[in-house]
Amino acid sequence: MEKVDGTKLLLEVKSFPTYTNNRLQDIINQIKTYVEISKNYKGVFVFPGKLSENSNKLLKDQDIEIWDIDFIIQNFSKQIENSSFKLLKKIFGFHNNIDELPKKR
């Protein structure tokens, strides 16, 4: 994936909404390894949940971008809403009304 500014993104997508410190450290090591191998990519941790302030800091200190549930909904709500995958809509809390989505922070 690539950002509008041309930054290449390496997405590590997980399905669980919460993580222990040990599991989060494993994910950080995994992303850092992939980024090191791929060169010139920015690591992104994508998951349908939220992290604590300390966990967010841990990832940011390693230059890993965080796409949590709020980010995903704010940036991909139209795609999720138009998806034919009912499970995807359920995971992100979509019903029939886009106005029910969380507001931008």
Side-chain angles (χ1 to χ4, degrees):
M1 180 172 223
E2 197 168 302
K3 284 187 171 182
V4 175
D5 68 3
T7 303
K8 294 179 182 178
L9 301 175
L10 188 145
L11 306 179
E12 180 62 28
V13 181
K14 300 294 185 188
S15 61
F16 293 104
T18 60
Y19 295 89
T20 64
N21 287 338
N22 287 340
R23 181 65 182 123
L24 192 59
Q25 191 59 56
D26 289 343
I27 292 167
I28 290 168
N29 292 337
Q30 188 176 17
I31 293 170
K32 286 174 61 177
T33 299
Y34 294 157
V35 167
E36 194 175 297
I37 292 168
S38 62
K39 304 207 188 304
N40 299 320
Y41 279 75
K42 179 168 181 63
V44 181
F45 178 42
V46 184
F47 68 106
K50 291 186 177 203
L51 296 174
S52 69
E53 193 173 312
N54 288 338
S55 294
N56 276 320
K57 183 178 179 339
L58 188 61
L59 285 156
K60 289 177 182 177
D61 287 350
Q62 297 297 320
D63 197 31
I64 297 172
E65 206 168 299
I66 302 161
W67 290 11
D68 63 8
I69 192 164
D70 291 341
F71 180 94
I72 295 166
I73 290 172
Q74 289 169 13
N75 291 279
F76 300 102
S77 61
K78 294 293 182 196
Q79 292 87 342
I80 296 169
E81 185 177 40
N82 293 328
S83 172
S84 61
F85 296 103
K86 291 179 183 179
L87 180 59
L88 182 68
K89 291 179 182 184
K90 186 173 183 176
I91 289 170
F92 291 100
F94 277 72
H95 305 288
N96 294 324
N97 188 347
I98 197 83
D99 295 329
E100 295 176 17
L101 299 177
K103 304 298 180 212
K104 288 189 177 186
R105 302 184 241 187

